[in-house]
Every structure is written in structure tokens, then in C-alpha cells.
Amino acid sequence: MDDTTAHREVTEHLRALHEPAFGRPHGLREPHVTRDGERVAVTGSVLDDLTGPVRTALYTAEDGELRAVSAGPGSARWARFSPDGDGLAFLSDRHEAGVFQLHLLSSGLGEASPAPEVPGSVEYAQWSPDGRRILLGVAGPGADLSGGQGSGSARRTEQDRPSWFPEVEDGGVDEAAWRTLWIYTLATGGLTRLSPDGLNCWEAGWCGPDRVVTISSGEPGEDAWYAAHLTLLDLAGEARKLLDSLVQLALPAGSPDGARVAVVEAACSDRGVVAGDLLLVDPDTGAVRRIDTAGTDVSQVEWLDADRLGYFGQRRLASVAGILDVPGGSVREVLDTELSCGGGTFYPAGAFTADGRVLTVQDSYTVAPRLVLTGESGDRVLASTAHPGTDHLLTVAGGAETVTWTAPDGLDIDGILCRPAGEGPFPLVVNIHGGPIWAFRNSWSMRYPWVPLLVARGYAVLNPNPRGSGGRGQEFAARVIGDMGGADAHDLLSGIDALVGRGLADEDRIGLIGGSYGGFMSSWLVTQDRRFVAAVPISPVTDWYSQSFTSNIGSWGTSYLDADPEDPGTLVHTRSPVLHASKARTPCLNVAGALDRATPPGQAREFHQALRAHGVPSALVIYPEEGHGVRAFPAQIDLLTRILRWFDHYLR
């Protein structure tokens, strides 16, 4: 297949999928519901054409249809109803692209009113339990973005500087890099800063009407998040540390009466990709209580009232929601489904009504995203994104099935196999997720647009959850720490062996693809095993030594290898694919974004040049406007075209 033919086929596929929904939501996330369950709101992802980034807009569900909430320009997201259900707060960048500010809508009528602007971009807004104030989490214009946000920074181009002006780093802390907390008071319309200087607040929630809990650090750089702690703030900005952890803390939420704080403790690879143990902390004494959630890694929490805490999470491949009776300690699960819940989130998420119903965005490989309210009487589908384009995808994307195999040390490993109709064996592409502490669920397109595209071309695609993945408890997740590229690599290889043995995979036509940790593993495996015919490492780490000194999360990498770059012979050196390139024979398409600060583009370049030096076919593709992953059109069309051509050339 030549370039022109491949590009045309990919474009036609994407147009058939998306064009029927141009101007309408094709994806959903951030659902919210009034306490009585009568009104819902959700963020929709919208394409107007196959150009530029995806925009977002707010919708409610009425008579089975998604209807726009506010008609302003730009993007809007994060709709949150007031405690009494009468007001709606949301974030919009209608005044400056990419800079979100608070807007308010009363009684669902008219057009929204903007609140006073904060210096930066608002990432989230939380109503106080009494509905009198709104807490704003604000990222300064120079704040780091996490890998899940695309990496890079929030800084906009400085238009007043000449083109020759240098980029300067002098060791000081950029004042624009901090994340701060602000409070908007509805009665006065006043806006005040809450967090003191020197406290970087990654995320926060109310603890009663007069205090706030936050995950904070004394530095604003992305690497500082991994050692952040739980902090209590009063409305005068006085800070008191509540909890430290040997791993990571996230998702803080205080009860409406301020008597308890919920927080999640988990080993994490990326900020914003969190699923782990649920803790309750007494804000006055610091006493900690660990909650048994029956093997569910918790990924979102929400107080229904002072004594009931709702949570969402993942258990193996299932999405789970439960309600904890805090005084009694009992847990009642209200949702357990093999469908993916959360929409565009990395792990399960949703919202609760006062009577314990749950609002979720549900989807699977064969179910387009839909908004569902679940109660004792079952599921009620409020609206769906299904349209003729999703029907087209279902006709070409094959099916998905759960597969399980046994690793060499006897550990059971799960995965989801997407494949065409027929008996096989099929050419197989192993699609490796990022993290490493993240996990596949049975979700629409498996969250990667190349999966259904490859299945449509006759490939089977294995989406594995090796050790280190979420949903299997903290012991399972921690198995990858200090051993990336070790037993986890054998989890993947044994999965391939299992599919070959079951007659589903052609052992002579095996390929690899993955981003971030998946990019590292795609690069690493081709240096350890010669069975692979082609590989596409995306946003990879290929040299842990240079990664340590060029990435904005370099310390995270060395901690997960449990190694010091200055010590010769440690895993920093022995697990770097670039230092094993002489063993590789697999043609590699190495992909990176020029704006990526998490896995800088030099990582892909190093491996490309090392492969070429040893006579291995290799191509290097760096997208100048992309960060950690390729998100915008038409760059995504170009990437999918190159992926299709690479695998077709070597595997077909």
C-alpha cells in the first residue's frame, strides 16, 4: 500500500466514523447529577471537521437526546450542580482559547455569567456543602501538564518577545508554574486566593463549609507530585499537614460536616491516573482508617452525606461503584459491570444521587458511549452518542473478548483480544498500555483509534494488563516497581505464546505498538526477543540515563527502577533499550511529540539512531505541535496512516 492509498483509506475510515456526528458529541465524560436525580450534565467531545484539536461542550439529557446547555463560543467542561440543584457552575475558555474560567448558570435558564477571572486556567471547581462558595483549582500559565494531559506546559506563546529570544532556565522557580486555590463567594461576587505562597495544590476539595483538603507539595514541578502530601487549609490559608505516604495520595474529599476526609493511596505512574486503597482520615487527630472495598482499586470518591461515601473503581476488568456506611463500616456495591464506566477517564468514574443511584458514561468495544442512570430497578439509558458513524465502526471493528493466561511464575494475567470474524490464526499486534500503572477495560475503540483500524485490516489486537496494571490491588501494581522490563515483559511474551497455542495468532506475524510505558516496552521487547516482525514505539523511554536528566519526571523513572543513574550496571543502564540495540532485528517506527516533557523526543531519536547504526530498518517521526501522544487532527490521520503502512508492509 503506497502513501496516497493508505492516507485515503484512513481518511475515509475516520470520515465515515465521525462525519455523521460533526458538531455533536462523539464522546462523553465528567457526568454530574442533581441530588434528586432530576437533572444531569455531561461534557461532550465534539469534532466539527477533521482539523485541529477536539473541542468540548456541555450537554444535558432530555427525552433521550443530548441537548446543549450553554451556547457560548470556545470549549466548556466540568459542569457541577449546586447542592440545592438550582445553580450550575462550569468552566469555559470562551474569552481565550485554552484558558478556562468559572461561569455560572441559574435555574437552567438564559446564558451563563462569568465570574471574575483568576490568573491562570481553572482546572476544576467545587461547591461548598452550604452552596455559598466555590473552590477553584487554578494552574498558572507555566504549570506542568501531566502525561495524561499531553505533557508540555500550560504556557502560551509570548507574543511580545522577538523570535531570537532564548529559553532560559536559571534554577529558580517560575512564578507562573504554581497551582493555587481560590474561593469565589456568590453573595458578594468576590474572589480571594486561599493557598499561601510556597504551597503547590495539585487537587483539592471541601472539608465542611469552612476548611479545604488538598494534595500539596512545596514545589510546582511535575516530579514533586509523587511525594505530595495531604494538607488541611482553613479559610485564612493556614496549612497543616494531615498525611504522608510512601507512595502517592490523590482524590481528597472532606465530608459535608468536616468530620472526615477521604483520600486514595496508590502507587502511581502518572498524576491523574490513580486507582488504589481508600483511606478515611480524621482531620483533627490524623487517625487513618483503611477501608476494605473487596478488591476494588478506588478511582473516584464522593460524599452522599456526612455518613455515606460513594466510590468508583476497577476490579480486574470490571467497573465497580459502592457506598460505604462510615459509622458501621459496611460497603454496599451498587454497580458491577464488564462495561467501561467513565467515558474519557483512565479509570471508572461517575456521580451519585442522594438516594444512592449512580450516573455513569458507559461503553464497550461494541457499545458507543452512553449516559446511564443506575438504581435498584436497573439501568436507564438517558442518552447515547450512537449514530450512523458508530454503526460503520461496528461493521468493521470485529469483536472483543476477555482472555487470561498464566505467566511463567504462575501469575494469572488478563487481557482483551479484539479480532476479526473467523477462526484464525491472525497476524497479531500487541497493544501495550501506558503507565505502567494503568489498565485496559473493555471500552470503545480500546481508547486507541488504531485498534479498530487494525482489526478492520485483518489483524488481531491483544490489549494486555501485565503485572503493574491497575484493578488487581496494590501488591499486583507494585510488582513492576524496581523491575520494569523484567517479569512484566514475560507476562506479555507468555500472552503471545498462549494465543499462538490457541490457534488465534500467527507466530510468524507478530507486531508491537504502545505509548509511554507501552513505547518503552515496545522498544525493549524487540531487543530481548526476535519473534517480532514490526514495532511502533510511541512517546517511548529508550535511555533511562538521559531520561533522568531531560524529563520533567526523571526522578519518577529512577525510583521505579530503584536505581541511581550514577551507579554503573544498575537497571538505568541494563534496562535501557538503546544500550541493547545491537540485539534487535525488528523494524521500528519511532514516534514522538516535540512538546513532550515527560518522555522527550530525544528518546525516540536515540533508539532510531542506535537501530540504524546496527543496520536495523527504522523510521523517526516527530510531530512539532504534539506532546505526550498524538491528539489533534490532521496529525492523527498522518500517524494512523504511518501505523497502517508499517504493519501492512512487514506483517502482511
Side-chain angles (χ1 to χ4, degrees):
M1 183 190 301
D2 60 29
D3 288 353
T4 302
T5 302
H7 189 274
R8 183 177 66 250
E9 288 192 10
V10 169
T11 302
E12 289 174 353
H13 166 80
L14 292 174
R15 284 207 168 272
L17 170 59
H18 291 300
E19 196 167 45
F22 279 171
R24 297 165 45 201
H26 66 268
L28 302 173
R29 58 189 174 96
E30 300 175 343
H32 203 245
V33 60
T34 53
R35 294 181 57 76
D36 60 9
E38 293 301 312
R39 298 171 62 200
V40 300
V42 67
T43 300
S45 301
V46 181
L47 282 169
D48 298 305
D49 200 349
L50 296 182
T51 56
V54 177
R55 66 179 176 90
T56 58
L58 298 181
Y59 296 87
T60 188
E62 298 177 10
D63 301 322
E65 299 290 333
L66 291 166
R67 302 187 187 279
V69 171
S70 182
S75 283
R77 57 175 292 268
W78 193 267
R80 291 294 182 267
F81 290 105
S82 60
D84 62 7
D86 188 54
L88 183 71
F90 67 92
L91 309 178
S92 175
D93 70 347
R94 59 183 58 179
H95 293 147
E96 184 176 355
V99 180
F100 287 84
Q101 300 290 342
L102 175 66
H103 289 70
L104 296 165
L105 190 64
S106 297
S107 303
L109 301 174
E111 188 48 58
S113 301
E117 293 192 359
V118 295
S121 183
V122 183
E123 295 185 306
Y124 55 88
Q126 309 283 12
W127 289 87
S128 63
D130 57 14
R132 296 167 53 198
R133 304 180 181 96
I134 300 176
L135 175 68
L136 305 178
V138 180
D144 276 354
L145 301 179
S146 68
Q149 295 173 298
S151 190
S153 76
R155 183 180 297 282
R156 303 178 299 282
T157 302
E158 298 286 353
Q159 301 292 342
D160 58 342
R161 290 180 176 176
S163 60
W164 58 263
F165 199 88
E167 178 181 342
V168 178
E169 293 186 13
D170 58 9
V173 176
D174 184 354
E175 288 303 315
W178 294 85
R179 281 178 164 82
T180 55
L181 298 178
W182 296 70
I183 289 180
Y184 174 71
T185 302
L186 276 77
T188 65
L191 185 69
T192 57
R193 176 169 164 169
L194 173 64
S195 56
D197 289 342
L199 192 72
N200 192 75
C201 298
W202 299 98
E203 54 184 326
W206 288 96
C207 181
D210 299 315
R211 295 189 294 185
V212 166
V213 283
T214 178
I215 304 299
S216 68
S217 61
E219 298 286 342
E222 194 68 22
D223 233 350
W225 175 79
Y226 294 92
H229 46 259
L230 181 67
T231 298
L232 185 71
L233 288 173
D234 62 27
L235 294 190
E238 293 294 323
R240 176 165 56 89
K241 184 189 296 187
L242 283 182
L243 184 65
D244 272 324
S245 174
L246 295 176
V247 287
Q248 283 71 55
L249 297 170
L251 307 172
S255 59
D257 62 358
R260 304 175 180 94
V261 174
V263 68
V264 172
E265 181 182 57
C268 300
S269 312
D270 301 270
R271 181 170 60 88
V273 187
V274 176
D277 293 343
L278 177 60
L279 308 182
L280 288 182
V281 183
D282 186 315
D284 296 320
T285 68
V288 177
R289 177 178 162 197
R290 195 172 296 268
I291 304 301
D292 182 0
T293 55
T296 298
D297 282 345
V298 174
S299 53
Q300 183 179 325
V301 295
E302 179 185 342
W303 289 94
L304 279 69
D305 53 40
D307 291 329
R308 292 182 301 157
L309 177 67
Y311 66 86
F312 290 88
Q314 182 163 341
R315 184 166 57 219
R316 297 198 80 149
L317 297 176
S319 296
V320 177
I323 298 174
L324 167 68
D325 175 67
V326 176
S330 62
V331 169
R332 176 174 64 93
E333 291 191 356
V334 294
L335 181 69
D336 181 356
T337 177
E338 294 303 312
L339 294 171
S340 176
C341 292
T345 56
F346 290 95
Y347 282 116
F352 288 86
T353 63
D355 60 5
R357 288 172 290 167
V358 293
L359 179 71
T360 55
V361 176
Q362 296 185 6
D363 61 72
S364 74
Y365 192 70
T366 55
V367 176
R370 60 189 188 181
L371 193 61
V372 180
L373 187 64
T374 301
E376 292 184 358
S377 59
D379 291 345
R380 181 159 67 97
V381 178
L382 303 181
S384 172
T385 62
H387 55 80
T390 58
D391 294 341
H392 157 75
L393 188 67
L394 293 176
T395 64
V396 301
E401 60 195 81
T402 298
V403 290
T404 301
W405 62 93
T406 303
D409 62 358
L411 192 64
D412 284 343
I413 305 298
D414 299 328
I416 297 172
L417 180 67
C418 304
R419 65 184 181 98
E423 298 300 320
F426 304 100
L428 176 71
V429 175
V430 183
N431 181 40
I432 308 170
H433 66 62
I437 304 181
W438 180 42
F440 282 115
R441 292 172 284 159
N442 188 343
S443 54
W444 186 245
S445 295
M446 297 306 298
R447 285 183 54 94
Y448 290 104
W450 53 74
V451 173
L453 189 63
L454 288 169
V455 174
R457 295 286 297 171
Y459 299 92
V461 180
L462 175 63
N463 307 276
N465 284 339
R467 69 193 68 204
S469 299
R472 298 280 296 272
Q474 290 303 290
E475 181 182 354
F476 187 87
R479 287 174 181 262
V480 75
I481 300 175
D483 191 38
M484 285 192 295
D488 53 344
H490 292 287
D491 293 343
L492 302 175
L493 295 174
S494 60
I496 297 169
D497 293 338
L499 294 184
V500 170
R502 297 171 194 176
L504 293 170
D506 182 344
E507 63 180 340
D508 295 321
R509 293 188 292 169
I510 307 292
L512 297 166
I513 190 171
S516 196
Y517 165 79
F520 156 70
M521 190 59 76
S522 297
S523 305
W524 176 246
L525 285 175
V526 302
T527 71
Q528 304 300 302
D529 194 304
R530 292 187 176 179
R531 76 178 74 186
F532 301 106
V533 181
V536 183
I538 301 172
S539 304
V541 176
T542 68
D543 182 350
W544 288 106
Y545 184 85
S546 62
Q547 168 79 1
S548 301
F549 302 108
T550 57
S551 168
N552 68 345
I553 54 171
S555 296
W556 166 82
T558 54
S559 69
Y560 263 54
L561 291 170
D562 192 21
D564 187 336
E566 289 194 7
D567 294 336
T570 66
L571 293 187
V572 169
H573 307 279
T574 60
R575 295 283 170 85
S576 289
V578 72
L579 300 181
H580 295 264
S582 62
K583 305 172 188 175
R585 296 295 181 271
T586 303
C588 291
L589 173 63
N590 304 281
V591 179
L595 305 181
D596 193 346
R597 299 185 65 192
T599 57
Q603 293 293 311
R605 183 178 296 279
E606 285 188 45
F607 197 54
H608 164 67
Q609 294 186 180
L611 291 174
R612 293 290 297 269
H614 292 286
V616 181
S618 178
L620 175 66
V621 180
I622 298 177
Y623 291 94
E625 297 177 351
E626 298 292 328
H628 198 63
V630 178
R631 289 168 163 77
F633 293 101
Q636 192 175 121
I637 298 174
D638 182 83
L639 172 62
L640 294 173
T641 299
R642 294 178 188 277
I643 291 171
L644 200 64
R645 286 192 63 244
W646 197 260
F647 285 128
D648 278 358
H649 179 74
Y650 290 105
L651 266 67
R652 290 175 67 89

